[in-house]
Coordinates of all heavy atoms in Angstrom, one line a residue:
M1 N 9.7 -1.8 3.0 CA 8.6 -1.5 4.1 C 7.3 -2.3 3.8 O 6.8 -2.3 2.6 CB 8.2 0.1 3.9 CG 7.3 0.6 5.0 SD 8.1 0.9 6.6 CE 6.7 0.8 7.7
I2 N 6.9 -3.0 4.8 CA 5.7 -3.8 4.7 C 4.4 -3.0 5.0 O 4.4 -2.4 6.1 CB 5.9 -5.1 5.5 CG1 6.9 -6.0 5.0 CG2 4.5 -5.8 5.6 CD1 7.2 -7.1 5.8
I3 N 3.5 -3.0 4.2 CA 2.2 -2.3 4.4 C 1.1 -3.3 4.4 O 1.0 -4.2 3.5 CB 2.0 -1.2 3.3 CG1 3.2 -0.2 3.2 CG2 0.7 -0.4 3.5 CD1 3.4 0.7 4.4
N4 N 0.1 -3.0 5.3 CA -1.1 -3.9 5.3 C -2.2 -3.2 4.5 O -2.6 -2.1 4.7 CB -1.5 -4.0 6.9 CG -2.5 -5.0 7.1 OD1 -3.7 -4.6 7.3 ND2 -2.2 -6.2 6.9
F5 N -2.7 -4.1 3.6 CA -3.8 -3.6 2.7 C -5.0 -4.5 2.8 O -4.9 -5.7 3.3 CB -3.4 -3.7 1.2 CG -2.2 -2.8 0.8 CD1 -0.9 -3.2 0.8 CD2 -2.6 -1.4 0.5 CE1 0.1 -2.3 0.4 CE2 -1.5 -0.6 0.1 CZ -0.3 -1.0 0.1
K6 N -6.2 -4.0 2.3 CA -7.3 -4.8 2.2 C -7.6 -4.9 0.6 O -7.9 -3.9 0.0 CB -8.4 -4.3 2.9 CG -9.7 -5.2 2.8 CD -10.7 -4.8 3.8 CE -11.9 -5.9 3.8 NZ -12.9 -5.5 4.8
C7 N -7.7 -6.0 0.0 CA -8.0 -6.2 -1.3 C -9.4 -6.1 -1.6 O -10.3 -6.6 -0.9 CB -7.5 -7.6 -1.8 SG -7.9 -7.9 -3.4
K8 N -9.9 -5.2 -2.6 CA -11.2 -5.0 -3.0 C -11.8 -6.2 -3.7 O -13.0 -6.4 -3.8 CB -11.4 -3.8 -3.8 CG -11.1 -2.4 -3.1 CD -11.4 -1.3 -4.0 CE -10.9 0.0 -3.4 NZ -11.1 1.2 -4.4
G9 N -10.9 -7.0 -4.3 CA -11.3 -8.1 -5.0 C -11.8 -9.3 -4.2 O -12.9 -9.9 -4.4
C10 N -11.0 -9.7 -3.2 CA -11.3 -10.9 -2.3 C -11.7 -10.5 -1.0 O -12.0 -11.3 -0.1 CB -10.2 -11.9 -2.3 SG -8.6 -11.2 -1.7
N11 N -11.5 -9.2 -0.6 CA -11.9 -8.6 0.8 C -11.1 -9.2 1.9 O -11.5 -9.3 3.0 CB -13.4 -8.9 1.1 CG -14.3 -7.8 0.6 OD1 -13.8 -6.6 0.5 ND2 -15.5 -8.1 0.1
Q12 N -9.9 -9.7 1.4 CA -8.9 -10.2 2.5 C -7.9 -9.1 2.7 O -7.4 -8.4 1.8 CB -8.3 -11.4 2.0 CG -9.3 -12.6 1.8 CD -10.0 -13.0 3.1 OE1 -9.4 -13.3 4.0 NE2 -11.3 -13.1 3.0
E13 N -7.4 -9.1 4.0 CA -6.2 -8.3 4.3 C -5.0 -9.1 4.1 O -4.9 -10.2 4.3 CB -6.3 -7.8 5.8 CG -7.5 -6.9 6.0 CD -7.6 -6.4 7.5 OE1 -6.6 -6.6 8.2 OE2 -8.7 -5.9 7.8
F14 N -3.9 -8.3 3.6 CA -2.7 -8.9 3.5 C -1.5 -7.9 3.6 O -1.7 -6.7 3.5 CB -2.6 -9.5 2.0 CG -2.7 -8.5 0.9 CD1 -1.6 -8.0 0.3 CD2 -4.0 -8.0 0.5 CE1 -1.7 -7.0 -0.8 CE2 -4.0 -7.1 -0.5 CZ -3.0 -6.6 -1.2
D15 N -0.3 -8.4 4.0 CA 0.9 -7.7 4.1 C 1.7 -7.7 2.8 O 1.8 -8.8 2.2 CB 1.8 -8.1 5.2 CG 1.1 -7.9 6.5 OD1 0.6 -6.8 6.8 OD2 1.2 -8.8 7.5
C16 N 2.2 -6.6 2.4 CA 2.9 -6.5 1.1 C 4.2 -5.8 1.3 O 4.1 -4.6 1.8 CB 2.0 -6.0 0.1 SG 2.8 -6.2 -1.6
E17 N 5.3 -6.3 0.9 CA 6.6 -5.6 0.9 C 6.6 -4.6 -0.3 O 6.5 -5.0 -1.5 CB 7.7 -6.5 0.8 CG 9.1 -5.8 0.6 CD 9.5 -4.9 1.6 OE1 9.5 -5.3 2.8 OE2 9.6 -3.7 1.3
M18 N 6.5 -3.3 0.0 CA 6.4 -2.3 -1.1 C 7.6 -1.6 -1.4 O 7.7 -0.7 -2.2 CB 5.3 -1.2 -0.7 CG 3.9 -1.8 -0.4 SD 3.3 -2.8 -1.8 CE 2.9 -1.4 -3.0
G19 N 8.7 -2.0 -0.8 CA 10.0 -1.3 -1.0 C 10.0 0.1 -0.5 O 9.4 0.3 0.5
K20 N 10.7 1.0 -1.1 CA 10.7 2.4 -0.7 C 9.4 3.1 -1.0 O 8.8 2.8 -2.0 CB 11.8 3.1 -1.4 CG 13.2 2.7 -1.0 CD 14.2 3.9 -1.4 CE 15.7 3.3 -1.3 NZ 16.2 2.9 -2.7
I21 N 9.0 3.9 -0.1 CA 7.7 4.6 -0.3 C 7.9 6.1 -0.2 O 8.6 6.6 0.8 CB 6.7 4.2 0.8 CG1 6.4 2.6 0.8 CG2 5.4 5.0 0.7 CD1 5.8 2.2 2.0
G22 N 7.4 6.8 -1.2 CA 7.5 8.3 -1.2 C 6.0 8.8 -1.5 O 5.1 8.1 -1.7
I23 N 6.0 10.2 -1.5 CA 4.7 10.8 -1.9 C 5.0 11.6 -3.2 O 5.9 12.4 -3.3 CB 4.3 11.8 -0.8 CG1 4.0 11.0 0.5 CG2 3.0 12.5 -1.2 CD1 2.8 10.1 0.5
N24 N 4.1 11.3 -4.2 CA 4.2 12.0 -5.5 C 3.9 13.4 -5.2 O 2.9 13.9 -4.7 CB 3.2 11.4 -6.5 CG 3.4 11.9 -7.8 OD1 3.2 13.1 -8.1 ND2 3.7 11.0 -8.7
D25 N 4.8 14.4 -5.8 CA 4.7 15.8 -5.6 C 3.4 16.4 -6.3 O 2.8 17.3 -5.8 CB 5.9 16.5 -6.1 CG 7.1 16.3 -5.3 OD1 7.0 15.9 -4.1 OD2 8.3 16.4 -5.7
Q26 N 3.1 15.7 -7.4 CA 2.0 16.3 -8.2 C 0.6 15.8 -7.7 O -0.3 16.6 -7.5 CB 2.1 15.8 -9.6 CG 2.7 16.9 -10.5 CD 4.3 16.8 -10.5 OE1 4.9 15.7 -10.6 NE2 4.9 18.0 -10.2
T27 N 0.5 14.5 -7.4 CA -0.8 14.0 -7.1 C -1.0 13.7 -5.6 O -2.1 13.5 -5.1 CB -0.9 12.6 -7.7 OG1 0.0 11.7 -7.1 CG2 -0.8 12.6 -9.2
F28 N 0.1 13.9 -4.8 CA 0.1 13.6 -3.3 C -0.4 12.2 -3.0 O -0.8 11.9 -1.9 CB -0.7 14.6 -2.6 CG -0.2 16.1 -2.8 CD1 -0.8 17.0 -3.6 CD2 0.9 16.4 -2.0 CE1 -0.3 18.2 -3.8 CE2 1.4 17.7 -2.2 CZ 0.9 18.6 -3.1
R29 N -0.3 11.3 -3.9 CA -0.6 9.9 -3.6 C 0.8 9.2 -3.5 O 1.8 9.6 -3.9 CB -1.3 9.3 -4.9 CG -2.6 9.9 -5.2 CD -3.3 9.1 -6.3 NE -3.9 7.9 -5.7 CZ -4.5 6.9 -6.4 NH1 -4.6 7.1 -7.8 NH2 -5.0 6.0 -5.8
P30 N 0.7 8.1 -2.7 CA 2.0 7.5 -2.4 C 2.6 6.8 -3.6 O 1.8 6.3 -4.5 CB 1.6 6.4 -1.4 CG 0.1 6.3 -1.3 CD -0.4 7.6 -2.0
D31 N 3.9 6.8 -3.7 CA 4.7 6.2 -4.8 C 5.3 5.0 -4.1 O 6.1 5.1 -3.2 CB 5.7 7.1 -5.3 CG 5.3 8.0 -6.5 OD1 4.4 7.5 -7.2 OD2 5.9 9.0 -6.7
F32 N 5.1 3.8 -4.7 CA 5.7 2.6 -4.1 C 6.7 2.1 -5.1 O 6.5 2.2 -6.3 CB 4.6 1.5 -3.9 CG 3.6 1.9 -2.9 CD1 2.3 2.2 -3.3 CD2 3.9 1.8 -1.6 CE1 1.3 2.6 -2.4 CE2 2.9 2.2 -0.7 CZ 1.6 2.5 -1.0
E33 N 7.7 1.6 -4.5 CA 8.9 1.1 -5.4 C 8.5 -0.2 -6.0 O 8.9 -0.6 -7.2 CB 10.1 0.9 -4.5 CG 11.3 0.5 -5.2 CD 12.5 0.1 -4.3 OE1 12.3 -0.1 -3.1 OE2 13.6 0.0 -4.8
K34 N 7.7 -1.0 -5.3 CA 7.4 -2.4 -5.7 C 5.9 -2.5 -6.0 O 5.1 -1.8 -5.5 CB 7.7 -3.5 -4.7 CG 9.3 -3.5 -4.6 CD 9.7 -4.6 -3.7 CE 11.2 -4.6 -3.5 NZ 11.6 -5.6 -2.5
P35 N 5.4 -3.4 -7.0 CA 4.1 -3.6 -7.2 C 3.2 -4.2 -5.9 O 3.9 -4.9 -5.2 CB 4.0 -4.5 -8.4 CG 5.2 -5.3 -8.3 CD 6.3 -4.3 -7.7
N36 N 2.0 -3.8 -5.8 CA 1.2 -4.3 -4.9 C 0.6 -5.7 -5.3 O 0.1 -5.9 -6.4 CB -0.1 -3.3 -4.7 CG -0.8 -3.6 -3.6 OD1 -1.4 -4.6 -3.4 ND2 -0.9 -2.6 -2.8
F37 N 0.8 -6.7 -4.4 CA 0.5 -8.1 -4.8 C -0.4 -8.8 -3.7 O 0.1 -9.0 -2.7 CB 1.9 -8.8 -4.9 CG 1.8 -9.9 -6.0 CD1 2.1 -9.6 -7.3 CD2 1.6 -11.2 -5.6 CE1 2.1 -10.6 -8.2 CE2 1.6 -12.2 -6.5 CZ 1.8 -11.9 -7.8
C38 N -1.6 -9.0 -4.1 CA -2.5 -9.8 -3.3 C -2.1 -11.3 -3.4 O -2.1 -11.7 -4.6 CB -3.9 -9.6 -3.7 SG -5.1 -10.6 -2.8
P39 N -2.1 -12.0 -2.3 CA -1.6 -13.4 -2.4 C -2.8 -14.2 -3.1 O -2.5 -15.3 -3.6 CB -1.5 -13.9 -0.9 CG -2.1 -12.7 -0.1 CD -2.1 -11.5 -0.9
R40 N -4.0 -13.7 -3.2 CA -5.1 -14.6 -3.8 C -5.3 -14.1 -5.2 O -5.6 -14.9 -6.1 CB -6.4 -14.4 -3.0 CG -6.1 -15.1 -1.6 CD -7.3 -14.6 -0.6 NE -6.9 -14.9 0.7 CZ -6.1 -14.2 1.5 NH1 -5.6 -13.1 1.0 NH2 -5.8 -14.6 2.7
C41 N -5.3 -12.7 -5.5 CA -5.6 -12.2 -6.8 C -4.5 -11.8 -7.7 O -4.7 -11.6 -8.9 CB -6.4 -10.9 -6.6 SG -7.8 -11.1 -5.5
G42 N -3.2 -11.8 -7.1 CA -2.1 -11.5 -7.9 C -1.9 -10.0 -7.8 O -2.3 -9.3 -6.9
E43 N -1.2 -9.4 -8.9 CA -0.8 -8.0 -8.9 C -2.1 -7.2 -8.8 O -3.1 -7.4 -9.7 CB 0.0 -7.7 -10.0 CG 0.7 -6.3 -9.9 CD 1.7 -6.1 -11.0 OE1 2.4 -7.1 -11.3 OE2 2.0 -4.9 -11.3
R44 N -2.1 -6.1 -8.1 CA -3.2 -5.2 -7.9 C -2.8 -3.8 -8.1 O -1.7 -3.4 -7.7 CB -3.9 -5.3 -6.6 CG -4.2 -6.7 -6.1 CD -5.3 -7.4 -6.9 NE -6.6 -6.8 -6.6 CZ -7.7 -7.0 -7.3 NH1 -7.6 -7.6 -8.4 NH2 -8.8 -6.5 -6.9
G45 N -3.6 -2.9 -8.7 CA -3.3 -1.5 -8.8 C -3.7 -0.9 -7.4 O -4.3 -1.5 -6.7
L46 N -3.3 0.4 -7.4 CA -3.5 1.1 -6.1 C -5.0 1.4 -5.9 O -5.5 1.4 -4.7 CB -2.8 2.4 -6.1 CG -1.4 2.4 -5.7 CD1 -0.8 3.8 -5.5 CD2 -1.1 1.6 -4.4
D47 N -5.8 1.4 -7.1 CA -7.2 1.5 -6.8 C -8.0 0.3 -6.5 O -9.2 0.2 -6.2 CB -7.8 2.1 -8.2 CG -7.3 3.5 -8.3 OD1 -7.1 4.3 -7.3 OD2 -7.1 4.0 -9.5
D48 N -7.2 -0.9 -6.6 CA -7.9 -2.2 -6.3 C -7.7 -2.6 -4.9 O -8.2 -3.6 -4.4 CB -7.2 -3.3 -7.1 CG -7.4 -2.9 -8.6 OD1 -8.4 -2.4 -9.0 OD2 -6.5 -3.2 -9.4
V49 N -7.1 -1.8 -4.1 CA -6.8 -2.1 -2.6 C -7.2 -0.9 -1.8 O -7.1 0.2 -2.2 CB -5.3 -2.6 -2.4 CG1 -5.0 -3.9 -3.1 CG2 -4.5 -1.4 -2.8
L50 N -7.4 -1.1 -0.5 CA -7.6 -0.2 0.5 C -6.5 -0.2 1.5 O -6.0 -1.4 1.8 CB -9.0 -0.3 1.2 CG -10.2 -0.2 0.3 CD1 -11.4 -0.7 1.0 CD2 -10.4 1.2 -0.1
L51 N -6.2 0.9 2.2 CA -5.3 0.8 3.3 C -6.1 0.5 4.6 O -7.1 1.1 4.8 CB -4.6 2.2 3.5 CG -3.3 2.5 2.8 CD1 -2.9 3.9 3.1 CD2 -2.2 1.6 3.1
T52 N -5.6 -0.4 5.2 CA -6.2 -0.7 6.6 C -5.8 0.3 7.6 O -4.9 1.2 7.3 CB -5.8 -2.1 7.1 OG1 -4.5 -2.1 7.3 CG2 -6.2 -3.2 6.1
E53 N -6.3 0.4 8.7 CA -5.9 1.2 9.8 C -4.5 1.0 10.1 O -3.6 2.0 10.3 CB -6.7 1.1 11.1 CG -7.8 2.1 11.2 CD -8.6 1.9 12.5 OE1 -8.0 1.8 13.6 OE2 -9.8 1.7 12.4
L54 N -4.1 -0.2 10.2 CA -2.6 -0.6 10.4 C -1.8 -0.1 9.3 O -0.7 0.5 9.5 CB -2.5 -2.1 10.6 CG -1.1 -2.6 10.6 CD1 -0.3 -2.0 11.8 CD2 -1.1 -4.1 10.7
G55 N -2.3 -0.2 8.0 CA -1.5 0.2 6.8 C -1.4 1.7 6.9 O -0.3 2.2 6.4
Q56 N -2.4 2.5 7.3 CA -2.3 3.9 7.4 C -1.2 4.4 8.3 O -0.4 5.3 8.1 CB -3.6 4.5 7.7 CG -4.6 4.5 6.6 CD -5.9 5.1 7.0 OE1 -6.1 5.8 7.9 NE2 -7.0 4.7 6.4
S57 N -1.2 3.7 9.5 CA -0.1 4.1 10.5 C 1.3 3.7 9.9 O 2.3 4.4 10.1 CB -0.3 3.6 11.9 OG -0.5 2.2 11.9
Q58 N 1.4 2.5 9.2 CA 2.6 2.1 8.6 C 3.1 3.2 7.5 O 4.2 3.5 7.4 CB 2.4 0.7 7.9 CG 2.4 -0.4 9.0 CD 1.9 -1.7 8.4 OE1 1.1 -1.7 7.5 NE2 2.4 -2.7 9.0
M59 N 2.1 3.7 6.7 CA 2.3 4.7 5.8 C 2.9 5.9 6.4 O 3.8 6.6 5.9 CB 1.2 5.0 4.9 CG 0.7 4.0 3.9 SD 1.9 3.8 2.6 CE 1.7 5.5 1.9
T60 N 2.2 6.4 7.5 CA 2.7 7.6 8.2 C 4.1 7.4 8.6 O 4.9 8.3 8.5 CB 1.7 7.8 9.4 OG1 0.4 7.9 8.9 CG2 2.2 9.2 10.1
E61 N 4.4 6.2 9.2 CA 5.7 6.0 9.6 C 6.7 6.0 8.5 O 7.8 6.5 8.6 CB 5.7 4.6 10.3 CG 6.9 4.2 11.1 CD 7.1 5.0 12.4 OE1 6.0 5.6 12.8 OE2 8.2 5.1 12.9
A62 N 6.3 5.4 7.4 CA 7.2 5.2 6.3 C 7.5 6.6 5.5 O 8.6 6.7 5.0 CB 6.6 4.3 5.2
T63 N 6.6 7.5 5.6 CA 6.7 8.7 4.9 C 7.2 9.9 5.7 O 7.4 11.1 5.2 CB 5.5 9.1 4.1 OG1 4.4 9.2 5.0 CG2 5.1 8.1 3.0
K64 N 7.3 9.7 7.0 CA 7.5 10.9 7.9 C 8.8 11.5 7.7 O 9.0 12.7 8.0 CB 7.2 10.6 9.3 CG 8.3 9.7 9.9 CD 8.0 9.4 11.4 CE 9.1 8.5 12.0 NZ 8.8 8.1 13.4
D65 N 9.8 10.7 7.2 CA 11.2 11.2 7.0 C 11.4 11.7 5.5 O 12.4 12.2 5.3 CB 12.2 10.2 7.4 CG 12.2 9.8 8.9 OD1 11.8 10.7 9.6 OD2 12.4 8.6 9.1
A66 N 10.4 11.5 4.7 CA 10.6 11.7 3.2 C 10.6 13.2 3.0 O 10.0 14.1 3.7 CB 9.5 11.0 2.5
Ligands
ZN1 ZN1 -7.4 -10.2 -3.4

Protein backbone atom coordinates (compact mmCIF):
# COMPACT_ATOMS: atom_id res chain seq x y z
CA MET A 1 0.00 0.00 0.00
CA ILE A 2 1.43 3.36 -1.03
CA ILE A 3 0.88 6.19 1.45
CA ASN A 4 1.53 9.88 0.90
CA PHE A 5 3.52 11.58 3.69
CA LYS A 6 5.07 14.94 4.39
CA CYS A 7 8.57 14.80 5.83
CA LYS A 8 9.19 17.08 8.84
CA GLY A 9 12.88 17.20 7.94
CA CYS A 10 12.74 18.58 4.38
CA ASN A 11 9.04 19.61 4.26
CA GLN A 12 8.55 17.67 1.04
CA GLU A 13 5.71 15.29 0.31
CA PHE A 14 6.54 11.81 -0.89
CA ASP A 15 4.87 8.49 -1.63
CA CYS A 16 6.13 5.48 0.24
CA GLU A 17 5.31 1.81 -0.19
CA MET A 18 4.52 0.73 3.38
CA GLY A 19 3.52 -2.87 2.74
CA LYS A 20 0.70 -4.18 4.89
CA ILE A 21 -0.91 -1.69 7.26
CA GLY A 22 -2.68 -2.51 10.49
CA ILE A 23 -3.68 -0.70 13.63
CA ASN A 24 -1.90 -1.51 16.87
CA ASP A 25 -4.46 -2.75 19.44
CA GLN A 26 -2.67 -1.10 22.34
CA THR A 27 -1.66 2.28 20.97
CA PHE A 28 -4.22 2.63 18.15
CA ARG A 29 -1.38 3.89 16.01
CA PRO A 30 -0.80 2.42 12.57
CA ASP A 31 1.55 -0.52 12.23
CA PHE A 32 3.47 -0.54 8.97
CA GLU A 33 5.14 -3.61 7.51
CA LYS A 34 7.92 -1.59 5.88
CA PRO A 35 10.01 1.35 7.07
CA ASN A 36 9.09 4.88 6.14
CA PHE A 37 11.65 6.23 3.71
CA CYS A 38 11.98 9.85 2.62
CA PRO A 39 13.73 10.09 -0.76
CA ARG A 40 15.81 13.03 0.53
CA CYS A 41 16.41 12.23 4.22
CA GLY A 42 16.45 8.43 4.17
CA GLU A 43 14.69 6.29 6.74
CA ARG A 44 12.29 8.22 8.98
CA GLY A 45 10.42 7.29 12.15
CA LEU A 46 6.67 7.75 12.35
CA ASP A 47 7.21 10.87 14.44
CA ASP A 48 9.39 12.39 11.71
CA VAL A 49 6.62 12.51 9.15
CA LEU A 50 3.06 13.78 8.84
CA LEU A 51 0.19 12.20 6.95
CA THR A 52 -1.06 14.43 4.17
CA GLU A 53 -4.78 14.67 3.44
CA LEU A 54 -4.22 12.19 0.63
CA GLY A 55 -2.30 9.95 3.03
CA GLN A 56 -5.14 10.03 5.52
CA SER A 57 -7.67 8.86 2.96
CA GLN A 58 -5.20 6.19 1.81
CA MET A 59 -4.85 5.05 5.44
CA THR A 60 -8.62 4.90 5.86
CA GLU A 61 -8.82 2.81 2.71
CA ALA A 62 -5.97 0.55 3.83
CA THR A 63 -7.35 -0.15 7.31
CA LYS A 64 -11.10 -0.35 6.69
CA ASP A 65 -11.00 -4.12 6.17
CA ALA A 66 -8.60 -4.80 9.04
ZN1 LIG B 1 12.82 14.38 4.14
